[in-house]
Amino acid sequence: MTIKDLVGKFSIIGNNQDENNDSYKGELHLTLNENNRINAKWIINNTQEQFGEGFFKNNILVINFKYYGYEDKTYKGVVVYKCLTKDILEGFWSEEEGNPLYLGKENCFRITNDKTNVC
């Protein structure tokens, strides 16, 4: 698998970095930048946008991310995905303001635009 194989759109399901293990859904968009690094954009629960940049080696994708939260504060963190296939990513994450006793979890599934006509 190469970094180019990861480019695309993924559906995500995850759990927050807290004792309640709150769940969320969304989308992850992966593109390549001019340095052949991953650019990431998450849309969480149709309301929150997060952005990141990362690198890929040995089927592991690491992305440093940030987003703007309450009172225009910037939150930062890192997510690590094990790329099981080019279509399925299994990850965990942590942000600097999160509860250090927990890790967030996130699984990603490629969204394909293949539509089969049924007659």
Side-chain angles (χ1 to χ4, degrees), residues 4-52:
K4 291 179 182 176
D5 293 327
L6 299 176
V7 170
K9 185 164 59 168
F10 294 81
S11 173
I12 59 172
I13 54 173
N15 297 93
N16 284 323
Q17 181 186 352
D18 58 28
E19 66 181 303
N20 296 330
N21 211 24
D22 294 328
S23 63
Y24 61 87
K25 293 182 180 182
E27 285 187 0
L28 169 62
H29 302 260
L30 299 177
T31 58
L32 287 180
N33 67 22
E34 65 278 356
N35 297 316
N36 212 33
R37 298 277 178 131
I38 287 285
N39 279 345
K41 177 181 177 183
W42 292 263
I43 302 170
I44 307 296
N45 291 332
N46 294 317
T47 59
Q48 183 182 80
E49 290 185 341
Q50 299 183 9
F51 303 92

Side-chain angles (χ1 to χ4, degrees), residues 98-112:
N99 187 329
L101 299 176
Y102 302 93
L103 288 173
K105 295 183 231 170
E106 191 166 279
N107 292 311
C108 310
F109 306 93
R110 184 176 301 275
I111 298 171
T112 59

